[in-house]
Structures are given as structure tokens and as C-alpha cells.
């Protein structure tokens, strides 16, 4: 019920805040001629969108379930590699997590997060887990599968859903956050993805 189109032009990658109605939505604004081309936070009506980062390359936001913090990925550096950052929902105190990766997603504790990455040699690609303080050196792979993409950590459990290519199509899978028990959720002949 209450299905409606929100008045955001050129917007993608929406993330709903789990608890805050004032800044309920974060998204990537990339083609609004009247607005910013960066990460934006807004109420659910998109009445007063506010830019929260400074680079057009900033993307893939996810809200912390415990505080008004956003984790995101960006290709803003000159080498164009994806790197992880956090910022408060009001655009203050941006922090470079000093870790290459993309598609970050917070754990229920708001401290750990999962993301797509590889090691420094370009090997061991797949899903990794890190935390806000030690992500540069202590992140570790939980699922070595270069086809594993777009993780989303459950807000209430230690399970991560993701998409991976199986044969000729994409399907949805789930894995425990320690890498145990990976299993397919859907196996239809159609493509399923971006959970």
C-alpha cells in the first residue's frame, strides 16, 4: 500500500535509516540539474535534501543501525580504485577507512561491516568483514568468491545476503558473517540481485 514515486531526479542507491525519521533517506544524486551531484540525506518526502559529501564519485551509502553515521564507497582518488569512508548524516567528520572495497553494509552493532574487496595483491576476492577502527590491517575475507557482490547485512542477525553468478544468471545467497553455511536463497532461471 501507499506506493509512490519520490521527487528525486537522477537518484540511485537509496538507503533508509533504521531509526531516524528526520534524515530517513540517503542516496546518490547524480543528475539533478537543481541539486547536488554527490551523496544526499533527506527526509522521506525529499523536502530538503542536503549534500553530505563533496565528490560526485561517492556512492553506495548505508546507515549505521546504532548512530547517525553513513558508510560509503568512492572512486574519488586519482587511481580510481574503490575505497571506504564514513561520514555523519549531517556531512561532518568524514573518515577515510584506509581500505579498498565497495558496497559496504553495516552489521547490527554499527561497528563491524561487510564489503566487496580483494587483498593487496588482487587475490582472495569476495566478501570481507572489517570494523571502524582496524579496517586497514585487520579486515578479513569471509567468502572467497569473486562473483559475490552487493552484500547486505541483516539488521537483526549475523547473516549477510548477497548476489553471485551461478552458471549464466545471478542468484541470491546468504552466508553467516563468519563465512559459515553459504546457501542459495533462490535458484529460478531468472536473474535475482541487488538485495
Amino acid at each position: 500500500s501507499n506506493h509512490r514515486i519520490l521527487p528525486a531526479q537522477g537518484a540511485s542507491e537509496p538507503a533508509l535509516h533504521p531509526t531516524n525519521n528526520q534524515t530517513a533517506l540517503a542516496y546518490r544524486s547524480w543528475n539533478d540539474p537543481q541539486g547536488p551531484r554527490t551523496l544526499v540525506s533527506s527526509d522521506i518526502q525529499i523536502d530538503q535534501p542536503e549534500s553530505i559529501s563533496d565528490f560526485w564519485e561517492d556512492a553506495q551509502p548505508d546507515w549505521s543501525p546504532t548512530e547517525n553515521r553513513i558508510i560509503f564507497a568512492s572512486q574519488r582518488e586519482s587511481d580510481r580504485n574503490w575505497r571506504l569512508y564514513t561520514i555523519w548524516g549531517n556531512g561532518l567528520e568524514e573518515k577515510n577507512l584506509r581500505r579498498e572495497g565497495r558496497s559496504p553494509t553495516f552489521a547490527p552493532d554499527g561497528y563491524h561491516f561487510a564489503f566487496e574487496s580483494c587483498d593487496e595483491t588482487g587475490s582472495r576476492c569476495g566478501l570481507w568483514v572489517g570494523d571502524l577502527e582496524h579496517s586497514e590491517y585487520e579486515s578479513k575475507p569471509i567468502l572467497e568468491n569473486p562473483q559475490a557482490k552487493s552484500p547486505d547485512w541483516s539488521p537483526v542477525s549475523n547473516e549477510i545476503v548477497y548476489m553471485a553468478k551461478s552458471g549464466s544468471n545471478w542468484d541470491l545467497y546468504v552466508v553467516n558473517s563468519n563465512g559459515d553455511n553459504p546457501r542459495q536463497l533462490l535458484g529460478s532461471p531468472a536473474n535475482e540481485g541487488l538485495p
Side-chain angles (χ1 to χ4, degrees):
S1 64
N2 199 22
H3 182 243
R4 61 201 185 280
I5 297 175
L6 297 179
Q9 295 181 7
S12 62
E13 304 167 14
L16 285 173
H17 196 294
T19 59
N20 187 337
N21 290 328
Q22 299 301 314
T23 54
L25 186 64
Y27 59 93
R28 183 178 187 205
S29 178
W30 47 269
N31 198 26
D32 184 350
Q34 306 302 319
R37 294 178 131 187
T38 185
L39 291 183
V40 172
S41 66
S42 175
D43 64 1
I44 196 67
Q45 303 302 322
I46 311 185
D47 289 329
Q48 296 179 326
E50 293 187 18
S51 189
I52 54 175
S53 69
D54 296 323
F55 294 88
W56 185 84
E57 297 88 352
D58 298 348
Q60 304 166 342
D62 189 52
W63 289 101
S64 166
T66 62
E67 56 192 355
N68 196 34
R69 182 192 303 262
I70 294 172
I71 191 169
F72 65 96
S74 181
Q75 290 181 295
R76 61 171 73 164
E77 301 295 332
S78 60
D79 63 9
R80 311 304 285 166
N81 290 338
W82 286 99
R83 289 183 173 83
L84 303 177
Y85 300 81
T86 65
I87 196 167
W88 293 105
N90 59 6
L92 298 176
E93 296 185 40
E94 182 181 281
K95 179 182 177 183
N96 184 340
L97 294 177
R98 302 181 59 80
R99 177 72 215 184
E100 288 192 10
R102 61 188 301 176
S103 300
T105 174
F106 270 116
D109 64 8
Y111 178 69
H112 293 89
F113 56 91
F115 58 104
E116 295 173 34
S117 193
C118 300
D119 68 16
E120 60 278 353
T121 68
S123 303
R124 303 181 74 194
C125 298
L127 300 184
W128 288 58
V129 169
D131 66 57
L132 293 176
E133 289 183 53
H134 310 101
S135 61
E136 183 176 8
Y137 298 112
E138 295 184 19
S139 295
K140 61 181 186 254
I142 61 162
L143 182 69
E144 290 185 42
N145 177 355
Q147 295 292 327
K149 308 286 182 193
S150 301
D152 192 26
W153 202 317
S154 167
V156 295
S157 74
N158 281 322
E159 291 183 315
I160 299 168
V161 65
Y162 62 97
M163 62 186 278
K165 200 159 193 179
S166 172
S168 62
N169 65 311
W170 292 91
D171 288 312
L172 294 181
Y173 295 81
V174 67
V175 64
N176 295 344
S177 61
N178 62 3
D180 290 345
N181 198 21
R183 57 209 180 273
Q184 190 172 14
L185 289 180
L186 298 169
S188 75
N191 284 311
E192 293 92 23
L194 301 176

